[in-house]
Amino acid sequence: MLVGRPQTQRDVEALLAGARLGQSGVLVVRGEPGIGKSALLEDAVARASGLEVLRARGTEVERELPFAALAALLRPLVDRVETLPPPQAEALGIALALREGGVVDRFAIAAGLLTLLTRASEEQPTVVVIDDAHLLDRPSAEALAFVARRLLADALLVLVALRPDESDAWEGLPVLDLMRLDPEAAREVVHDSGPALTEEQVERIVQLADGNPLVLRTLAGRPDSLSGLPSVLAPDPGLSSVATAAYGMQLDQLEQAALDAVRVAAVAGEDLPLVARACGLARIPVAGLVAAEESGLLSTDAERVAFVHPLARAAAYAGAPAGLRRELHRLVAEALPAGDGDRRAWHLSAAALGPDESVAEALDLVATRATARGAHSVSATASVRAAQLSESSEDTGRRLLAAGEAAWLSGDDARAAAVLDDALRHLTLPEERARVRAITGLASARSGRLGQAYVELLRAADRAGERAIGASMELYAEVVEVCAYLLDVPAGSVVAQRLERLLADPQVCARAGARAEAIASIAVGMARTLEGGSGVEHLRRGVSLFAGLPLADHRSRSAWEVLGPLYLRESGAGRDLVQRAVTERREAGAIGELPHLLFHLARDDATGERWTRGEAAYGEAVALARESGQATELAANLAGLCWLHARQGRVEDCRTAGAEAREIAHAHDVHMAEMWVEFGLAELDLSLGGVAEAAAGFESLAARLAELDVRDPDLSPVPELVEAQLRLGDVTGSDALVATYLARAEGKGRPWSLARAARVRALLCGDDEVDAAFGAALAEHARTPDRFETARTRLLYGERLRRLRRRAECRVHLRSALDDFKRLGARLWSDITLAELDATGLTLRRRDTGPVVDLTARELQIALLLADGQTTRQAAAALFLSPKTVEYHLRHVYTKLGIGSRAELAERMRRAS
């Protein structure tokens, strides 16, 4: 019976009722040991009539077994795994050891789990109950948390109980913190828990326990223990230590045979047949567990032995002498079935005293199997323990290197850095030390430590040596990309020069391979672009080399194949490549790779005429970057969103995204993102009529780019600065800046650069040159896909013609600009153009840009996928959601857009994008 929690019980009952009605729910119950988390979950299970209950519980002995908790939870559903979409069935099947296969992505496993659980809830409302979640194996916890974050409209409830200091995997989910009981409820617990007590004993117990139910029950059941306790207990760890000590007193009163059997159970875990076999090897009567069960320390059934509380197991384990614990681990390892290599290795490692190469090798196999199943965090732990048992320093270093790489793959960059730093103390081979630097650098780049990423990747590339020239070239390319985010043009140029020397040697390229040569060529092209050059020939070389590779060799974590065409912007091929890569990653469940790809997809859409799709891609990338801890990509995508919202005229959205992007970018030196934010906010000011503020913003940005020696004219705000200064009637002091900009644009020679440069000349030209100057700009615009820049030039041309009293001609350009602004959804620029038309004597009714821009990021993603012809299930799989969640959002889309069918949706999204 649950005492003193009436409101909590009502809250949980409401969640259960919601599940029965098809509503999703998530609740993470946090609290100190003994506060009543397990009792609350048991109460919930008792009330879960009409719901299918799936249960799992974390245990210390299974904490390092890959997906142990998931296997227990899914036992009733295991026959349905093969009915999942093939990539998900493969990933989840390998994770649960139901099938063999290659290495799987951890996010693909989580996506399969989401589909499996939501499909089960379609057949019957379901509640997932996870007790002692702080003891779950990390891969299971991460997969379950992934599911919990995506529930919205499914008949699925997730209840999780854990300790408050070990809840990082569940961060961001609804939380209930269980508080201690008030004195009245505490007295009720005491009276219900033990023999008749004096009032003095009751008051002393209530005072000592301070509302902790476990301590209340423990002391009430053992009033004789009160005499040895102080008058006041420290709240932490004093209260739990009281319960542990009380369990220790119960253990001390057992006969030796019973105590020995309990200790075997504490080492072996809940598998009763295994406990019995280990007892047999130790010549300990397993029947001793009967006495322990009678004393209330544990319970048993035909297959399972369970301690009454984890603290009872902790008391039994800690109370055994160290030598005895090691011997028991050895016996349990011997008692395990032949096929249970993972648990055997862990028990042998606990039995080892000092280096033991045979056990270390067994743990190497544990790590290998865990990696194949996508359990990288378990693999890291196994390799660290193997390193501790290694007999040579080189083997220690090699295993720490493996551990660091596994930690990086698991997303734990801080752990990876610490382990890899330790590995360097042991490794002597140049290629191994280079690999350490490479992983450290890649982890740093992902988590936003760009300065460290630059140093580590450059060291790794330098030290990879002639024997690994291909790896060296790819690492140099990674350095170039880091420099792009840093906007460190001089550093990127130096690295590009090294790559150019390597690329100039045919023998080097032959040894490196076509893929490394392609990546290096594209990196050089990027660096030359940032310098203010064209980089075209290098980019074309890389694109051509990629095109000649077998399709299986195209995929790369850094998505180099798609960067070349996007930088070239010579056709739609770049966007098609990115879209194909995004689709491949979605199908494979490779969520960690999506933020980077989606950023480039969004950037291409936002600088063309697909603003709606660009916004959707940015929004999805932001959400995924948050979830996977990619600070660099989060800053870049938020900055891109700020820049796009500025053009859309969404003032508050622009400023909100910009503020967060600026904060993250400043903290992590993502200077590229900082520059985009500054540009977006200044352009927003310009569209709002804050011309002086806009001019100051553009001027500050130009100065900052000059300070960083960024010479790429496509990043320059000079065209916007000149426009703002002209509106203010002051262009003095900009001559040198304008001249430098124009020279760089001419030197780059790309249509987009030349079009903006021609616009600057048109703004500054005399009245007799207006038509030729603006005509030259529009001719260059015609060679680009950027409809917004074209409309901006037409707007300025129309304004100039109006001032020259050429009304009929100016209206042609203004109406063309207005059509483009409206089609794109540039609200404020549409208003400015309408005002100009009004000034010519032509009054047009303001036509709203449409409610599509009022959709949330998730609604926009779903609307676009469904409008493209995907089914609800296909859209759900692509976005790692359940079909019911997609349907929930679709209802909101229909309501906001005032439509009622897929056909209407397709037409509306076609017009919007």
Side-chain angles (χ1 to χ4, degrees):
M1 176 184 174
L2 201 60
V3 175
R5 310 281 189 197
Q7 183 57 52
T8 301
Q9 288 176 290
R10 285 193 289 271
D11 292 342
V12 173
E13 181 59 54
L15 290 171
L16 292 166
R20 294 187 187 96
L21 295 173
Q23 300 170 2
S24 298
V26 178
L27 187 63
V28 177
V29 182
R30 297 190 308 195
E32 65 188 7
I35 200 64
K37 303 183 293 295
S38 298
L40 179 62
L41 294 188
E42 289 297 335
D43 184 73
V45 170
R47 296 168 181 263
S49 58
L51 299 172
E52 179 174 8
V53 179
L54 302 175
R55 304 187 68 171
R57 176 169 161 258
T59 64
E60 191 70 48
V61 295
E62 294 188 339
R63 199 171 190 173
E64 301 303 340
L65 298 180
F67 299 104
L70 218 54
L73 180 78
L74 300 180
R75 199 168 286 123
L77 305 179
V78 72
D79 59 330
R80 307 185 197 182
V81 171
E82 292 303 320
T83 67
L84 299 176
Q88 295 182 3
E90 180 179 17
L92 191 56
I94 291 172
L96 298 175
L98 300 175
R99 61 161 74 175
E100 294 183 354
V103 176
V104 295
D105 187 278
R106 60 192 175 108
F107 289 114
I109 297 165
L113 176 64
L114 173 66
T115 303
L116 184 66
L117 290 176
T118 54
R119 283 188 181 181
S121 72
E122 291 173 3
E123 298 179 12
Q124 181 180 0
T126 302
V127 56
V128 172
V129 181
I130 310 294
D131 200 3
D132 289 329
H134 53 282
L135 295 177
L136 290 182
D137 62 278
R138 183 79 185 186
S140 290
E142 290 175 344
L144 287 163
F146 176 96
V147 171
R149 291 190 180 95
R150 283 161 173 76
L151 296 180
L152 184 62
D154 297 275
L156 182 60
L157 171 61
V158 177
L159 298 176
V160 178
L162 45 73
R163 295 181 186 174
D165 55 344
E166 301 182 59
S167 59
D168 59 311
W170 308 90
E171 195 172 331
L173 294 170
V175 170
L176 170 66
D177 287 308
L178 277 189
M179 300 291 104
R180 294 177 182 177
L181 300 177
D182 60 42
E184 182 178 350
R187 290 188 187 91
E188 184 179 349
V189 171
V190 172
H191 286 303
D192 291 344
S193 300
L197 301 170
T198 67
E199 190 59 31
E200 180 181 356
Q201 288 175 317
V202 171
E203 289 305 314
R204 178 140 165 73
I205 290 170
V206 170
Q207 178 191 20
L208 286 170
D210 193 24
N212 183 289
L214 176 65
V215 179
L216 287 165
R217 290 191 171 93
T218 302
L219 295 179
R222 296 299 308 270
D224 55 317
S225 64
L226 294 173
S227 59
L229 295 175
S231 57
V232 178
L233 295 174
D236 186 29
L239 290 176
S240 60
S241 67
V242 171
T244 304
Y247 288 134
M249 294 174 66
Q250 285 181 265
L251 289 164
D252 290 342
Q253 293 185 351
L254 293 175
E255 297 288 339
Q256 188 61 47
L259 178 61
D260 290 342
V262 170
R263 287 172 171 170
V264 172
V267 169
E270 298 186 346
D271 185 342
L272 184 55
L274 174 62
V275 172
R277 290 195 299 274
C279 282
L281 292 172
R283 302 183 186 281
I284 296 170
V286 72
L289 293 177
V290 175
E293 189 168 22
E294 291 173 351
S295 73
L297 281 166
L298 50 77
S299 62
T300 63
D301 58 29
E303 297 292 329
R304 184 170 172 268
V305 52
F307 283 91
V308 67
H309 192 276
L311 292 178
R313 178 199 172 272
Y317 188 85
L324 176 59
R325 287 201 300 268
R326 287 194 295 272
E327 175 61 16
L328 291 178
H329 276 294
R330 186 190 65 78
L331 291 171
V332 171
E334 186 179 345
L336 281 163
D340 204 342
D342 285 5
R343 281 203 287 180
R344 178 178 296 101
W346 285 114
H347 280 292
L348 289 174
S349 76
L353 182 62
D356 190 321
E357 190 60 30
S358 65
V359 178
E361 290 173 357
L363 287 168
D364 287 341
L365 295 175
V366 171
T368 300
R369 288 190 290 266
T371 296
R373 294 169 65 184
H376 299 294
S377 57
V378 171
S379 177
T381 302
S383 291
V384 167
R385 180 59 179 146
Q388 294 168 346
L389 295 173
S390 299
E391 294 179 351
S392 73
S393 181
E394 279 299 313
D395 284 339
T396 299
R398 175 177 56 79
R399 285 165 173 143
L400 289 173
L401 170 55
E405 186 161 9
W408 170 59
L409 290 170
S410 77
D412 193 343
D413 295 331
R415 184 185 189 191
V419 172
L420 291 169
D421 187 58
D422 193 18
L424 283 175
R425 297 191 301 107
H426 298 276
L427 295 172
T428 58
L429 293 177
E431 55 266 34
E432 291 179 335
R433 293 181 66 85
R435 184 61 182 160
V436 169
R437 297 293 186 190
I439 299 167
T440 302
L442 292 169
S444 299
R446 178 175 62 186
S447 60
R449 302 189 305 277
L450 293 177
Q452 182 181 0
Y454 169 80
V455 171
E456 296 293 351
L457 289 169
L458 189 57
R459 284 180 181 174
D462 287 343
R463 296 174 182 177
E466 288 293 317
R467 287 180 292 181
I469 192 63
S472 178
M473 292 169 70
E474 292 186 26
L475 288 169
Y476 280 132
E478 295 288 349
V479 177
V480 170
E481 187 170 32
V482 168
C483 289
Y485 281 110
L486 286 167
L487 278 184
D488 190 340
V489 175
S493 298
V494 170
V495 177
Q497 288 170 9
R498 297 185 191 182
L499 282 173
E500 280 185 306
R501 287 195 295 270
L502 294 170
L503 289 168
D505 187 334
Q507 293 183 346
V508 168
C509 292
R511 294 203 312 274
R515 183 175 174 278
E517 184 183 353
I519 290 172
S521 298
I522 291 170
V524 172
M526 289 170 56
R528 296 294 172 245
T529 299
L530 286 174
E531 290 175 356
S534 70
V536 170
E537 294 309 314
H538 288 290
L539 291 168
R540 287 175 178 162
R541 176 182 179 180
V543 169
S544 175
L545 285 165
F546 262 121
L549 289 175
L551 189 61
D553 292 340
H554 280 210
R555 290 188 54 183
S556 166
R557 283 194 198 292
S558 298
W560 286 101
E561 181 187 7
V562 305
L563 291 181
L566 287 178
Y567 265 76
L568 282 172
R569 300 198 73 184
E570 292 181 332
S571 68
R575 189 187 187 285
D576 293 342
L577 279 171
V578 182
Q579 186 63 68
R580 186 182 74 188
V582 167
T583 301
E584 288 174 351
R585 268 66 164 185
R586 290 194 195 284
E587 291 174 351
I591 294 176
E593 300 176 40
L594 283 174
H596 185 68
L597 286 168
L598 286 168
F599 167 75
H600 290 292
L601 186 67
R603 187 71 180 162
D604 190 61
D605 286 338
T607 53
E609 55 185 59
R610 297 168 172 259
W611 284 13
T612 303
R613 292 183 182 276
E615 182 185 350
Y618 275 138
E620 183 181 2
V622 165
L624 294 175
R626 284 191 205 283
E627 185 167 23
S628 53
Q630 299 183 45
T632 303
E633 298 301 337
L634 178 58
N637 281 282
L638 282 168
L641 206 51
C642 166
W643 182 90
L644 179 57
H645 285 332
R647 296 192 163 190
Q648 292 172 320
R650 293 166 59 175
V651 180
E652 291 307 313
D653 290 338
C654 171
R655 289 173 176 163
T656 299
E660 186 180 2
R662 179 186 279 162
E663 181 181 357
I664 298 170
H666 180 73
H668 298 286
D669 293 328
V670 190
H671 298 313
M672 179 74 82
E674 288 184 289
M675 298 306 102
W676 283 335
V677 170
E678 298 311 315
F679 188 98
L681 294 176
E683 191 167 58
L684 180 66
D685 285 333
L686 187 62
S687 64
L688 288 169
V691 181
E693 294 85 352
F698 289 130
E699 195 166 6
S700 173
L701 176 57
R704 179 65 174 139
L705 290 171
E707 179 186 332
L708 291 168
D709 199 24
V710 177
R711 302 178 185 182
D712 183 3
D714 292 352
L715 296 177
S716 173
V718 165
E720 290 74 21
L721 175 60
V722 169
E723 178 185 346
Q725 289 176 332
L726 281 171
R727 292 184 187 279
L728 292 171
D730 179 17
V731 292
T732 59
S734 297
D735 290 350
L737 187 64
V738 170
T740 300
Y741 166 75
L742 293 176
R744 288 174 177 171
E746 291 292 338
K748 186 167 185 176
R750 308 303 297 156
W752 198 82
S753 312
L754 295 173
R756 283 168 52 83
R759 184 165 82 208
V760 171
R761 290 193 181 92
L763 287 169
L764 297 174
C765 74
D767 291 345
D768 59 338
E769 301 174 298
V770 165
D771 293 324
F774 275 104
L778 291 173
E780 293 294 346
H781 279 305
R783 298 169 60 201
T784 77
D786 198 329
R787 191 181 293 268
F788 178 80
E789 289 289 340
T790 304
R792 294 277 283 107
T793 297
R794 287 194 180 278
L795 170 59
L796 292 167
Y797 191 11
E799 289 176 347
R800 187 76 175 270
L801 291 173
R802 181 182 63 78
R803 290 197 298 273
L804 293 174
R805 301 183 181 280
R806 296 164 58 182
R807 292 191 175 187
E809 293 170 85
C810 83
R811 287 172 181 169
V812 173
H813 294 289
L814 290 175
R815 293 202 67 159
S816 179
L818 180 62
D819 287 343
D820 282 342
F821 285 141
K822 286 183 174 180
R823 189 176 294 111
L824 290 169
R827 292 172 171 178
L828 295 177
W829 290 106
S830 294
D831 291 344
I832 292 170
T833 310
L834 280 167
E836 279 295 320
L837 282 165
D838 188 55
T840 71
L842 178 66
T843 302
L844 297 178
R845 183 173 62 86
R846 185 187 187 282
R847 189 178 74 215
D848 194 0
T849 52
V852 167
V853 295
D854 295 323
L855 298 180
T856 67
R858 183 66 83 196
E859 290 164 357
L860 196 53
Q861 293 157 13
I862 288 169
L864 286 167
L865 288 172
L866 295 178
D868 284 344
Q870 294 202 24
T871 66
T872 298
R873 285 197 179 276
Q874 287 171 333
L879 297 174
F880 310 103
L881 301 171
S882 73
K884 287 188 178 295
T885 297
V886 170
E887 291 168 357
Y888 172 89
H889 285 298
L890 182 60
R891 288 194 294 272
H892 284 264
V893 170
Y894 280 1
T895 300
K896 289 182 178 181
L897 299 185
I899 59 177
S901 71
R902 296 285 178 96
E904 290 177 285
L905 176 64
E907 175 58 24
R908 184 65 61 89
M909 299 313 294
R910 185 193 64 78
R911 295 205 310 264
S913 61

